[in-house]
Amino acid sequence: PEGSVSPIKCPSELFRRDPGGKDASDCGPCPTGMVCLGDTMWPCPTGHYCPAGEQPIPCAIGSYQPWEGQGLATCLPCEAGYWCKQTNLSSVNGTLCPPAHYCPKGVKVPVPCPPSTYRDLAGAAKVADCFQCPLKKYCLSNTTSPLPCPGGFYCPLGTSDPVTCPSGNYCPPDSGSFLPCPPGLFCPVGAEVPKECPLGTYCEGSTGVPSLCNLGYAGVPGTVNRSSHDAGCMPCPAGKMGTDPLRAVCQNCTAGYVCFGTTITTKPLTEADGGIICPPGYYCPLGSKLAQPCPPGTQQVNSGATSRAQCAKCPANSYNNKTGA
């Protein structure tokens, strides 16, 4: 300006190339793609872009700029398979997408590999670069290593969550599918190993819940292969009844009744029940397989007698010379 002892530099972001400037208004904006300070000007640095009259603007996360002198917002999107995780990058070298993720072009945050896949290497560019979870393993989201399938579950190819072993089958650890339960054993839902069929039941194969022996029967004691009703269950003999809720034992026939064998109720009335009520003229103690006749000189007019004491003596002026009267 007039009266100046020495030249005054143009303000920051302004520049004057030619001599003869009189005041700040003679300073023009710094050209596009350049950085200006007073009478000095140089190209916009890599990793940035420089609009006219502005300070260098760093390239945003997810982009980079390998060239100097760029003026518009010309930062390049980060290459697929790379992660430009900071601002003002001039190259993508050494910034591979991390394991367990994939990075499409220009991504700002790596995308986790979805459930049922994994990725143990860096540099994935798309979801198809995530590896399918192998057989007998399962893969959660964002994982670098498949996990072993636990016992009681099975893991087909591409599993994100182990599948519960279904009823009638068992699944040891590291199972890719379920195995049928063998005869004589049973496998509830989620079984890791088959279980022995308990006394009073039988298991024909692929069994989830043991079948109870039929009424009138009880379980064969001892260590046996309970693979069928015939193998695991025995008919209760005469004088016994097969009404135990667990079919573990044959119980003594109820007093006042006769049990012919394979008796299905505690108070049998017909042959279909496997027994009858003790008839008049007889008595039937606990565990009777035959009715016991009242002796001569006595009588029993009611059914269901349980002991000889219920055979009453004949009254005066009468007699009975037969049994079972």
Side-chain angles (χ1 to χ4, degrees):
E2 185 177 355
S4 295
V5 177
S6 60
I8 300 172
K9 289 185 177 182
C10 287
S12 180
E13 290 92 44
L14 297 178
F15 178 75
R16 181 171 177 84
R17 183 185 297 272
D18 300 322
K22 296 180 179 180
D23 54 41
S25 63
D26 291 332
C27 299
C30 190
T32 298
M34 305 300 288
V35 181
C36 300
L37 184 60
D39 58 354
T40 305
M41 180 172 64
W42 62 93
C44 191
T46 60
H48 299 74
Y49 63 97
C50 299
E54 294 188 29
Q55 290 279 10
I57 300 173
C59 288
I61 291 174
S63 65
Y64 72 106
Q65 179 56 269
W67 301 300
E68 292 183 339
Q70 300 304 303
L72 302 178
T74 54
C75 297
L76 304 176
C78 202
E79 299 293 336
Y82 289 84
W83 178 28
C84 297
K85 59 182 177 180
Q86 63 188 55
T87 61
N88 67 279
L89 285 179
S90 60
S91 77
V92 296
N93 292 335
T95 58
L96 284 171
C97 194
H101 299 77
Y102 64 97
C103 296
K105 189 173 184 177
V107 72
K108 293 183 178 180
V109 179
V111 183
C113 283
S116 79
T117 67
Y118 75 103
R119 172 89 186 181
D120 55 353
L121 303 173
K126 54 189 180 300
V127 69
D129 293 333
C130 299
F131 307 129
Q132 186 177 40
C133 204
L135 189 69
K136 303 180 181 180
K137 307 287 184 181
Y138 71 101
C139 299
L140 304 175
S141 174
N142 186 22
T143 187
T144 59
S145 180
L147 300 171
C149 202
F153 298 83
Y154 68 99
C155 299
L157 194 66
T159 295
S160 58
D161 291 299
V163 184
T164 303
C165 207
S167 177
N169 300 273
Y170 69 102
C171 301
D174 293 321
S175 290
S177 61
F178 48 85
L179 301 171
C181 209
L185 304 172
F186 75 101
C187 302
V189 172
E192 182 174 340
V193 295
K195 299 181 179 182
E196 186 175 334
C197 211
L199 179 68
T201 66
Y202 63 98
C203 303
E204 293 182 328
S206 296
T207 297
V209 179
S211 299
L212 199 62
C213 290
N214 294 338
L215 282 167
Y217 290 76
V220 177
T223 303
V224 296
N225 181 13
R226 309 182 197 281
S227 58
S228 67
H229 190 274
D230 289 344
C233 307
M234 61 180 185
C236 289
K240 301 284 186 178
M241 54 187 181
T243 57
D244 176 23
L246 300 178
R247 307 293 194 275
V249 294
C250 294
Q251 300 166 304
N252 284 324
C253 191
T254 306
Y257 293 84
V258 179
C259 294
F260 302 144
T262 61
T263 303
I264 64 173
T265 177
T266 57
K267 296 180 178 180
L269 299 175
T270 66
E271 290 191 13
D273 294 335
I276 57 172
I277 191 168
C278 202
Y282 293 79
Y283 63 95
C284 301
L286 185 70
S288 292
K289 56 185 175 181
L290 293 171
Q292 303 299 315
C294 287
T298 64
Q299 62 177 350
Q300 169 53 260
V301 297
N302 298 316
S303 56
T306 60
S307 69
R308 182 173 176 174
Q310 290 175 280
C311 297
K313 292 181 179 181
C314 289
N317 300 319
S318 66
Y319 72 97
N320 176 25
N321 59 357
K322 298 179 181 180
T323 60

PDB file of all heavy atoms in Angstrom, residues 293-313:
ATOM      1  N   PRO A 293     -61.908-123.892  48.494  1.00  0.00           N
ATOM      2  CA  PRO A 293     -63.285-124.191  48.912  1.00  0.00           C
ATOM      3  C   PRO A 293     -63.447-124.140  50.429  1.00  0.00           C
ATOM      4  O   PRO A 293     -62.535-124.516  51.177  1.00  0.00           O
ATOM      5  CB  PRO A 293     -63.504-125.600  48.374  1.00  0.00           C
ATOM      6  CG  PRO A 293     -62.136-126.211  48.313  1.00  0.00           C
ATOM      7  CD  PRO A 293     -61.197-125.097  47.983  1.00  0.00           C
ATOM      8  N   CYS A 294     -64.600-123.653  50.854  1.00  0.00           N
ATOM      9  CA  CYS A 294     -64.911-123.740  52.283  1.00  0.00           C
ATOM     10  C   CYS A 294     -65.078-125.217  52.648  1.00  0.00           C
ATOM     11  O   CYS A 294     -65.643-126.013  51.886  1.00  0.00           O
ATOM     12  CB  CYS A 294     -66.193-122.971  52.598  1.00  0.00           C
ATOM     13  SG  CYS A 294     -66.000-121.175  52.561  1.00  0.00           S
ATOM     14  N   PRO A 295     -64.619-125.692  53.823  1.00  0.00           N
ATOM     15  CA  PRO A 295     -64.683-127.117  54.189  1.00  0.00           C
ATOM     16  C   PRO A 295     -66.121-127.550  54.535  1.00  0.00           C
ATOM     17  O   PRO A 295     -66.994-126.696  54.766  1.00  0.00           O
ATOM     18  CB  PRO A 295     -63.763-127.185  55.395  1.00  0.00           C
ATOM     19  CG  PRO A 295     -63.792-125.818  56.004  1.00  0.00           C
ATOM     20  CD  PRO A 295     -63.948-124.882  54.848  1.00  0.00           C
ATOM     21  N   PRO A 296     -66.383-128.884  54.551  1.00  0.00           N
ATOM     22  CA  PRO A 296     -67.702-129.388  54.983  1.00  0.00           C
ATOM     23  C   PRO A 296     -68.070-128.840  56.363  1.00  0.00           C
ATOM     24  O   PRO A 296     -67.202-128.614  57.206  1.00  0.00           O
ATOM     25  CB  PRO A 296     -67.514-130.904  55.002  1.00  0.00           C
ATOM     26  CG  PRO A 296     -66.407-131.166  54.027  1.00  0.00           C
ATOM     27  CD  PRO A 296     -65.477-130.012  54.167  1.00  0.00           C
ATOM     28  N   GLY A 297     -69.337-128.620  56.555  1.00  0.00           N
ATOM     29  CA  GLY A 297     -69.805-128.087  57.827  1.00  0.00           C
ATOM     30  C   GLY A 297     -69.790-126.580  57.878  1.00  0.00           C
ATOM     31  O   GLY A 297     -70.123-125.996  58.907  1.00  0.00           O
ATOM     32  N   THR A 298     -69.380-125.952  56.731  1.00  0.00           N
ATOM     33  CA  THR A 298     -69.370-124.476  56.670  1.00  0.00           C
ATOM     34  C   THR A 298     -70.067-124.037  55.401  1.00  0.00           C
ATOM     35  O   THR A 298     -70.328-124.826  54.500  1.00  0.00           O
ATOM     36  CB  THR A 298     -67.941-123.915  56.686  1.00  0.00           C
ATOM     37  OG1 THR A 298     -67.263-124.355  55.501  1.00  0.00           O
ATOM     38  CG2 THR A 298     -67.157-124.392  57.908  1.00  0.00           C
ATOM     39  N   GLN A 299     -70.317-122.745  55.370  1.00  0.00           N
ATOM     40  CA  GLN A 299     -70.925-122.177  54.170  1.00  0.00           C
ATOM     41  C   GLN A 299     -70.431-120.730  53.968  1.00  0.00           C
ATOM     42  O   GLN A 299     -70.026-120.078  54.907  1.00  0.00           O
ATOM     43  CB  GLN A 299     -72.443-122.194  54.275  1.00  0.00           C
ATOM     44  CG  GLN A 299     -72.986-121.354  55.427  1.00  0.00           C
ATOM     45  CD  GLN A 299     -74.507-121.320  55.457  1.00  0.00           C
ATOM     46  OE1 GLN A 299     -75.175-121.770  54.532  1.00  0.00           O
ATOM     47  NE2 GLN A 299     -75.058-120.768  56.537  1.00  0.00           N
ATOM     48  N   GLN A 300     -70.456-120.274  52.704  1.00  0.00           N
ATOM     49  CA  GLN A 300     -70.078-118.907  52.345  1.00  0.00           C
ATOM     50  C   GLN A 300     -70.986-118.483  51.206  1.00  0.00           C
ATOM     51  O   GLN A 300     -70.896-118.963  50.089  1.00  0.00           O
ATOM     52  CB  GLN A 300     -68.601-118.852  51.909  1.00  0.00           C
ATOM     53  CG  GLN A 300     -68.152-117.550  51.276  1.00  0.00           C
ATOM     54  CD  GLN A 300     -68.461-116.335  52.132  1.00  0.00           C
ATOM     55  OE1 GLN A 300     -69.445-115.652  51.853  1.00  0.00           O
ATOM     56  NE2 GLN A 300     -67.671-116.107  53.170  1.00  0.00           N
ATOM     57  N   VAL A 301     -71.925-117.604  51.531  1.00  0.00           N
ATOM     58  CA  VAL A 301     -72.943-117.243  50.546  1.00  0.00           C
ATOM     59  C   VAL A 301     -72.574-115.999  49.735  1.00  0.00           C
ATOM     60  O   VAL A 301     -73.250-115.675  48.758  1.00  0.00           O
ATOM     61  CB  VAL A 301     -74.306-117.029  51.247  1.00  0.00           C
ATOM     62  CG1 VAL A 301     -74.784-118.323  51.895  1.00  0.00           C
ATOM     63  CG2 VAL A 301     -74.215-115.904  52.279  1.00  0.00           C
ATOM     64  N   ASN A 302     -71.509-115.322  50.129  1.00  0.00           N
ATOM     65  CA  ASN A 302     -71.120-114.085  49.433  1.00  0.00           C
ATOM     66  C   ASN A 302     -69.870-114.319  48.576  1.00  0.00           C
ATOM     67  O   ASN A 302     -69.051-115.193  48.864  1.00  0.00           O
ATOM     68  CB  ASN A 302     -70.834-112.967  50.442  1.00  0.00           C
ATOM     69  CG  ASN A 302     -72.057-112.606  51.270  1.00  0.00           C
ATOM     70  OD1 ASN A 302     -73.156-112.477  50.725  1.00  0.00           O
ATOM     71  ND2 ASN A 302     -71.883-112.456  52.589  1.00  0.00           N
ATOM     72  N   SER A 303     -69.718-113.519  47.544  1.00  0.00           N
ATOM     73  CA  SER A 303     -68.491-113.559  46.732  1.00  0.00           C
ATOM     74  C   SER A 303     -67.468-112.603  47.330  1.00  0.00           C
ATOM     75  O   SER A 303     -67.803-111.687  48.078  1.00  0.00           O
ATOM     76  CB  SER A 303     -68.782-113.176  45.288  1.00  0.00           C
ATOM     77  OG  SER A 303     -69.390-111.900  45.229  1.00  0.00           O
ATOM     78  N   GLY A 304     -66.195-112.851  47.008  1.00  0.00           N
ATOM     79  CA  GLY A 304     -65.136-111.957  47.445  1.00  0.00           C
ATOM     80  C   GLY A 304     -64.564-112.253  48.802  1.00  0.00           C
ATOM     81  O   GLY A 304     -63.891-111.388  49.388  1.00  0.00           O
ATOM     82  N   ALA A 305     -64.776-113.471  49.345  1.00  0.00           N
ATOM     83  CA  ALA A 305     -64.217-113.824  50.653  1.00  0.00           C
ATOM     84  C   ALA A 305     -62.696-113.884  50.565  1.00  0.00           C
ATOM     85  O   ALA A 305     -62.122-114.308  49.560  1.00  0.00           O
ATOM     86  CB  ALA A 305     -64.768-115.154  51.128  1.00  0.00           C
ATOM     87  N   THR A 306     -62.014-113.445  51.611  1.00  0.00           N
ATOM     88  CA  THR A 306     -60.553-113.337  51.586  1.00  0.00           C
ATOM     89  C   THR A 306     -59.856-114.344  52.496  1.00  0.00           C
ATOM     90  O   THR A 306     -58.642-114.525  52.377  1.00  0.00           O
ATOM     91  CB  THR A 306     -60.129-111.922  52.005  1.00  0.00           C
ATOM     92  OG1 THR A 306     -60.600-111.654  53.342  1.00  0.00           O
ATOM     93  CG2 THR A 306     -60.694-110.879  51.047  1.00  0.00           C
ATOM     94  N   SER A 307     -60.619-115.006  53.413  1.00  0.00           N
ATOM     95  CA  SER A 307     -59.958-115.948  54.323  1.00  0.00           C
ATOM     96  C   SER A 307     -60.939-117.050  54.747  1.00  0.00           C
ATOM     97  O   SER A 307     -62.167-116.915  54.592  1.00  0.00           O
ATOM     98  CB  SER A 307     -59.437-115.225  55.571  1.00  0.00           C
ATOM     99  OG  SER A 307     -60.521-114.779  56.380  1.00  0.00           O
ATOM    100  N   ARG A 308     -60.391-118.142  55.273  1.00  0.00           N
ATOM    101  CA  ARG A 308     -61.214-119.271  55.722  1.00  0.00           C
ATOM    102  C   ARG A 308     -62.138-118.849  56.867  1.00  0.00           C
ATOM    103  O   ARG A 308     -63.220-119.423  57.038  1.00  0.00           O
ATOM    104  CB  ARG A 308     -60.304-120.414  56.172  1.00  0.00           C
ATOM    105  CG  ARG A 308     -61.070-121.651  56.616  1.00  0.00           C
ATOM    106  CD  ARG A 308     -60.154-122.807  56.887  1.00  0.00           C
ATOM    107  NE  ARG A 308     -60.894-123.953  57.397  1.00  0.00           N
ATOM    108  CZ  ARG A 308     -60.371-125.150  57.625  1.00  0.00           C
ATOM    109  NH1 ARG A 308     -59.097-125.371  57.360  1.00  0.00           N
ATOM    110  NH2 ARG A 308     -61.100-126.126  58.111  1.00  0.00           N
ATOM    111  N   ALA A 309     -61.728-117.837  57.604  1.00  0.00           N
ATOM    112  CA  ALA A 309     -62.547-117.389  58.742  1.00  0.00           C
ATOM    113  C   ALA A 309     -63.909-116.884  58.290  1.00  0.00           C
ATOM    114  O   ALA A 309     -64.852-116.794  59.091  1.00  0.00           O
ATOM    115  CB  ALA A 309     -61.808-116.302  59.510  1.00  0.00           C
ATOM    116  N   GLN A 310     -64.008-116.563  56.991  1.00  0.00           N
ATOM    117  CA  GLN A 310     -65.286-116.079  56.475  1.00  0.00           C
ATOM    118  C   GLN A 310     -66.208-117.231  56.054  1.00  0.00           C
ATOM    119  O   GLN A 310     -67.335-116.989  55.621  1.00  0.00           O
ATOM    120  CB  GLN A 310     -65.040-115.135  55.294  1.00  0.00           C
ATOM    121  CG  GLN A 310     -64.413-113.806  55.715  1.00  0.00           C
ATOM    122  CD  GLN A 310     -64.061-112.924  54.539  1.00  0.00           C
ATOM    123  OE1 GLN A 310     -63.035-113.132  53.906  1.00  0.00           O
ATOM    124  NE2 GLN A 310     -64.936-111.963  54.258  1.00  0.00           N
ATOM    125  N   CYS A 311     -65.740-118.491  56.186  1.00  0.00           N
ATOM    126  CA  CYS A 311     -66.599-119.657  55.964  1.00  0.00           C
ATOM    127  C   CYS A 311     -67.349-119.922  57.276  1.00  0.00           C
ATOM    128  O   CYS A 311     -66.771-120.401  58.263  1.00  0.00           O
ATOM    129  CB  CYS A 311     -65.759-120.875  55.571  1.00  0.00           C
ATOM    130  SG  CYS A 311     -64.863-120.684  54.012  1.00  0.00           S
ATOM    131  N   ALA A 312     -68.636-119.576  57.319  1.00  0.00           N
ATOM    132  CA  ALA A 312     -69.411-119.655  58.574  1.00  0.00           C
ATOM    133  C   ALA A 312     -69.873-121.099  58.846  1.00  0.00           C
ATOM    134  O   ALA A 312     -70.174-121.860  57.914  1.00  0.00           O
ATOM    135  CB  ALA A 312     -70.615-118.736  58.482  1.00  0.00           C
ATOM    136  N   LYS A 313     -69.956-121.480  60.128  1.00  0.00           N
ATOM    137  CA  LYS A 313     -70.452-122.812  60.502  1.00  0.00           C
ATOM    138  C   LYS A 313     -71.939-122.920  60.160  1.00  0.00           C
ATOM    139  O   LYS A 313     -72.681-121.952  60.238  1.00  0.00           O
ATOM    140  CB  LYS A 313     -70.260-123.055  61.993  1.00  0.00           C
ATOM    141  CG  LYS A 313     -68.795-123.178  62.401  1.00  0.00           C
ATOM    142  CD  LYS A 313     -68.675-123.451  63.896  1.00  0.00           C
ATOM    143  CE  LYS A 313     -67.219-123.596  64.317  1.00  0.00           C
ATOM    144  NZ  LYS A 313     -67.092-123.880  65.767  1.00  0.00           N
TER     145      LYS A 313
END
